[in-house]
Amino acid sequence: MNKILEQAEKLKQIKSIEALTLHCNEIMDSLDIDYYIFRYYPPLQLTEDDMLSFGNYPEQWIDYYDINELVKIDPIHLHCKSHSTPIFWQEAKKIKQFNASEHRQVMTLAESAGLKDGITIPVHGLRRGVAFLSTAFHRTISIEKEIRNIANIQWITPFIYEAVNRIELSNSQNKTVLSKREKECLAWASSGKTSWEISQILGVSERTVNFHLTNATQKTNSSNRIQAIARSIIHGIIEPMY
């Protein structure tokens, strides 16, 4: 079996973020990639803990990037928010909407940190909002010469995403155990039903519905039912009712 196919198959069996990181390190080494980072931002980033990040980017650059909230002006991230197509960093510099001085500054700072050129693959999922794999190099790369590597990076990205999604959903569901009735109340509340309407649907008292919603809010470490609904959907505890 082709090596990249073997690596993709192994991703399906990994059960922890730590093991996933080690395997991704091996994959990137096999592809002669200097640096990589995988990040995802849920559709409602409720706290910093809801954003997951791993890879071998320089720690000083990650700290600087996060502390200064460069994500807000990073042309690569801005592209990933609204596109599913890969973006080559050298091409990002040519996109008019990302040609402001603040956008160019992020790219210059990244280059100073040793991330001279790169390729970023965005992934958009039902619960996980924007996710992406960024691969970076010490050198300027030739798109034509690196076409095979680019294909391999693009191929492996969805497998990494699925592994992260599976692990995070499993961890969240194990940490947050809601009763069947609590899930039902949250699910109906997610469709805009009031406590009274939910009580009529389920055949219980309005007080009982509020009791279950309060419990669900506490168990999800939320401040209100809206946040509890959002967190429960993001972490796969309930399915939204459309």
Side-chain angles (χ1 to χ4, degrees), residues 24-236:
C24 285
N25 289 344
E26 295 175 4
I27 293 172
M28 300 307 156
D29 284 343
S30 72
L31 296 175
D32 293 322
I33 292 166
D34 299 319
Y35 295 112
Y36 82 96
I37 192 168
F38 185 92
R39 278 193 165 187
Y40 68 68
Y41 299 82
L44 295 173
Q45 192 179 340
L46 304 169
T47 69
E48 288 187 7
D49 292 336
D50 290 319
M51 187 273 287
L52 185 143
S53 175
F54 65 88
N56 69 341
Y57 261 33
E59 289 186 12
Q60 286 186 327
W61 169 245
I62 294 175
D63 290 342
Y64 182 86
Y65 185 96
D66 290 339
I67 290 170
N68 291 279
E69 298 183 323
L70 297 185
V71 66
K72 295 179 180 179
I73 55 172
D74 180 358
I76 303 301
H77 179 78
L78 295 175
H79 168 88
C80 290
K81 284 178 66 176
S82 56
H83 295 80
S84 297
T85 52
I87 182 167
F88 301 98
W89 294 8
Q90 53 191 264
E91 294 297 317
K93 299 173 184 178
K94 303 174 185 178
I95 300 175
K96 288 184 179 180
Q97 70 189 89
F98 300 143
N99 205 28
S101 59
E102 60 183 7
H103 299 142
R104 293 196 299 272
Q105 182 184 19
V106 176
M107 304 299 289
T108 300
L109 289 170
E111 188 170 339
S112 299
L115 312 175
K116 188 175 181 64
D117 201 358
I119 307 158
T120 298
I121 315 292
V123 184
H124 294 267
L126 173 63
R127 295 189 181 93
R128 294 297 174 186
V130 179
F132 61 83
L133 173 69
S134 275
T135 56
F137 303 85
H138 292 304
R139 66 191 189 283
T140 299
I141 62 173
S142 167
I143 296 175
E144 291 77 14
K145 292 181 179 178
E146 295 284 344
I147 195 68
R148 182 179 179 83
N149 242 5
I150 292 166
N152 284 331
I153 295 167
Q154 193 167 3
W155 166 262
I156 206 70
T157 299
F159 289 93
I160 297 174
Y161 170 81
E162 288 293 333
V164 169
N165 196 41
R166 184 186 67 254
I167 293 166
E168 284 299 291
L169 285 179
S170 176
N171 289 342
S172 298
Q173 291 167 351
N174 289 337
K175 291 176 183 176
T176 307
V177 180
L178 301 185
S179 70
K180 179 182 178 182
R181 191 62 94 186
E182 288 164 354
K183 291 179 182 179
E184 286 177 336
C185 290
L186 274 181
W188 282 112
S190 74
S191 68
K193 300 296 184 183
T194 65
S195 293
W196 182 84
E197 289 172 326
I198 297 171
S199 73
Q200 299 304 297
I201 294 169
L202 299 180
V204 297
S205 69
E206 185 175 355
R207 181 179 179 181
T208 298
V209 171
N210 287 329
F211 171 79
H212 289 309
L213 288 174
T214 297
N215 281 346
T217 299
Q218 292 173 347
K219 288 181 179 180
T220 56
N221 294 318
S222 303
S223 57
N224 53 55
R225 70 171 64 178
I226 295 174
Q227 190 178 49
I229 291 167
R231 281 189 166 167
S232 297
I233 291 173
I234 288 170
H235 296 302

